[in-house]
Every structure is written in structure tokens, then in C-alpha cells.
Amino acid sequence: MEKTLSIIKPNAIEDNNIGNIISRFEKEGLRIAAAKFTHLSKEKAEGFYIEHKERPFFGSLVSFMTSGPVMLMVLEGDNAIMKNREIMGATNPEEAAEGTLRKLYAKSLEANAVHGSDSPQSAEREVSYFFDTNEVLGRF
Ligand code: ADP
Ligand code: MG
């Protein structure tokens, strides 16, 4: 069983799509192994996206991610990391396949509804960045 970090971004929360997104994960065989609502501080958002700190969109991305609440989740299942990336679709919603979460719920390239870890290394880092061991199912 693999674990991955998922974030429902502020635009999808504003648009009332939390249930639609979680329901999709469950239908696709992923389990919600941890979940919490939070409002990220600037420091927490910057640390999360540290790999992008030299990119021109970094400041705007951090502003967006701190513009409203987010829902942080750990998804668990067979091949959860790649399965979640497939369900999400391409980063740019204009390039995302029909039926993917980003095609359905993104507002823009930046406000693209969901985050998902992209490798086992990033999943490990991202899950432990937001969750203590005793907050994740199977580790209570
Ligand atoms: P992904 O979230 O698909 O892994 P990246 O890691 O490349 O994509 O980028 C992180 C996030 O930064 C994206 O999900 C999106 O919100 C934002 N982003 C990426 N590229 C751009 C861009 N060119 N302009 C504005 N925002 C961007
Ligand atoms: Mg990424």
C-alpha cells in the first residue's frame, strides 16, 4: 500500500467541490488515510513549494495557496501516487484530459483545484511535512 499527499486547493473549496473530489478518490479505490482543514501561513506554503522558489510564479502561487482554507489529505492505495496524478490530470487544465479533477474543477493554471505528490520521495516528504505519525490511519 502506497501513500501520497493530496491537497484540495482554495479555489475548489470556494466552489464547494470538496465532496465531489473526495468521492472521486474513493470511487477510484483510494482510501482517505488522514485529513485536515487548515489555512496555510506564508512560511508553511513557501516551505511546501520550496522546489519552485526560483520560478517566476512562486510568489503568486504562495499568495493563492494562502488565500483561503485548504484540505490536506493522505490517500492510500495500490500505486496511490501515480493513480492520484492520473485522476488529477495535467497541471494546466487546458491540457488536462476529459473527466480529470483539473479539467472539471480548475479555474486557471495556478488555481488548478488539487495537488498530488509526484514521486515516492516527494510523497514521503510532503506527508510528514503536514501530518504527525499519529494522525495517519494505520499508524494510530
Ligand atoms: P503539479 O502541481 O502538477 O505537480 P508543478 O509542481 O509544476 O505542477 O507546479 C506546482 C503548482 O504551481 C501547480 O499545480 C500550479 O498551481 C502552479 N503553477 C505551475 N506552473 C505555473 C505557471 N506557469 N503559472 C502559474 N502557476 C503555475
Ligand atoms: Mg509538482
Side-chain angles (χ1 to χ4, degrees), residues 105-122:
Y105 305 126
K107 253 197 200 104
S108 65
L109 170 54
E110 178 175 83
N112 60 0
V114 281
H115 167 85
S117 309
D118 64 4
S119 68
Q121 292 72 26
S122 65

Side-chain angles (χ1 to χ4, degrees), residues 1 3 11 14 25 35-36 54 62 82 87 91 111 120 126 138:
M1 281 292 175
K3 288 185 173 66
N11 72 291
E14 172 71 23
F25 291 141
K36 59 183 157 194
E54 305 303 335
V62 169
M82 282 307 122
I87 296 167
T91 305
E126 292 175 1

